[in-house]
Amino acid sequence: MNDAILFTVDEGLARLTLNRPARLNAFNSDLAHAWRDATAEATSRMDVKAILIDAAGPAFCAGGDVIEMATTMGSGDEITALAEVINAGIRSLTESAVPVVAAAHGTTAGGGLGILLSSDYAVVGSRSRLGSLYANIGLTPDLSVSAQLARAVGQRRALQLVLQDRLLTAAEAVEWGLVAEAVEGADSADEAGRVRARAEEIARFWLAGAAEAYGHAKRLVRSQPERTFAEQLSEEARSIGASLATPDAQARIAAFAAASARKG
C-alpha cells in the first residue's frame, strides 16, 4: 500500500483515508491501486468488524483525476483498466459481510459517488454537495454509479442527477436517501471533524453490539438482487440458522431469556 490511502486498524475498526487532498482525493493510478489493496485487506482480516472510509483535505472525493487523464493516459483502454482496479475495491466492500460507514465531508462528485455508495451508511456535512457531473467533461458514469445510484434513490431521481449539471445539497441528499444524515459545524473544518466523529460513533456502535450479525444483515440486503424471491428466503433461513450457532448469539439469547424470566 502507498500513502495515497492511510490504513489503520484499531479495536476492530479499519479506517481507510483517501489521501490526495491537493487533488480533492481524485483517483489516479496510485490511489486506485492503494484503494484496491486496502479494501481487500480490510475485508479479509478476521480482526476487522467494521470499516470507516473518510478523506483528507476539504473534499471527500472528486472522482477521477481529469488532469492526469489528459496528460498521462493515451487511450480509453487505460482508463478502462484503471476503473477496473477501483472496481475491485468497490466489490470487496459491497460483497463483504463487514458494515461500512463513509464520512463524506465537502464535495463528492463523479466516481466519488460510487465510493460513497459502496458504504452502507453515509454521513455528510451540512455544507456538502453531491453530484454526477460526468457529462460536463464528456464521460459516462463509472465506479458503480450506474449500478448503485438507482437502487439508492430510484431510477427517476438517478436520471435527474446524471442528466443534469447539478450538485445536491446535503439536505436534498438526505431527503433522496442517498445519505443517512448530515452534520452541522461552525465552519468547514469543524464540520469535517464532526462528520468523521459521527461516522466513527456509528462504527463503534456496530462494534459494541452484534458486529457479525450487522455484517451479515448487510450482506443479505446487498446480495439480494442476485437472487429470486424464493432463493432470498432460503438464504435468510440459512443465515439465521448459522447465526444462531455463533457464541455471540447464544450469549445474547441466553441473556434475553434470563431478563425475560426475571420480569415474569
Side-chain angles (χ1 to χ4, degrees):
M1 242 171 281
N2 57 56
D3 290 341
I5 279 191
L6 306 180
F7 179 86
T8 61
V9 177
D10 174 41
E11 297 181 340
L13 175 62
R15 184 188 296 267
L16 283 63
T17 302
L18 307 181
N19 192 38
R20 296 191 73 223
R23 299 297 304 151
L24 302 182
N25 299 305
F27 274 81
N28 65 352
S29 180
D30 283 349
L31 181 52
H33 286 86
W35 164 260
R36 179 196 62 191
D37 296 345
T39 53
E41 180 172 350
T43 54
S44 62
R45 285 178 55 153
M46 297 300 293
D47 61 332
V48 170
K49 303 300 182 185
I51 296 170
L52 190 158
I53 303 170
D54 64 5
F60 180 64
C61 182
D65 191 324
V66 179
I67 303 302
E68 290 214 7
M69 288 182 198
T71 58
T72 67
M73 294 188 181
S75 71
D77 289 344
E78 292 180 77
I79 295 177
T80 295
L82 192 63
E84 291 289 12
V85 172
I86 305 167
N87 288 344
I90 290 170
R91 290 186 62 182
S92 289
L93 294 178
T94 58
E95 295 174 5
S96 76
V98 183
V100 181
V101 60
H105 70 283
T107 299
T108 298
L113 271 182
I115 303 304
L116 181 145
L117 287 162
S118 301
S119 71
D120 307 304
Y121 197 108
V123 182
V124 298
S126 63
R127 294 170 174 81
S128 294
R129 297 294 182 268
L130 304 92
S132 169
L133 308 186
Y134 284 97
N136 290 16
I137 52 172
L139 299 179
T140 56
D142 67 343
L143 307 189
S144 81
V145 171
S146 69
Q148 297 201 81
L149 183 59
R151 291 182 191 172
V153 304
Q155 186 183 78
R156 300 301 293 180
R157 279 181 162 171
L159 287 168
Q160 289 174 41
L161 202 56
V162 302
L163 297 180
Q164 290 289 310
D165 179 11
R166 177 180 182 182
L167 287 171
L168 298 179
T169 66
E172 288 173 325
V174 172
E175 179 192 351
W176 282 28
L178 181 58
V179 303
E181 54 187 272
V183 176
E184 294 186 2
D187 54 34
S188 295
D190 178 62
E191 190 166 282
R194 290 175 183 269
V195 169
R196 294 187 186 99
R198 176 57 183 148
E200 181 164 348
E201 182 180 20
I202 291 160
R204 297 293 179 190
F205 166 78
W206 294 334
L207 292 169
E212 289 189 16
Y214 285 125
H216 282 287
K218 164 257 181 82
R219 178 189 59 79
L220 282 169
V221 172
R222 283 280 193 183
S223 61
Q224 182 277 326
E226 302 169 7
R227 304 185 187 91
T228 66
F229 182 68
E231 289 169 341
Q232 184 69 5
L233 292 181
S234 294
E235 178 58 18
E236 286 180 347
R238 186 206 64 77
S239 183
I240 196 170
S243 65
L244 178 64
T246 64
D248 184 56
Q250 290 291 314
R252 290 174 182 276
I253 290 169
F256 180 86
S260 296
R262 287 193 296 272
K263 290 178 182 178

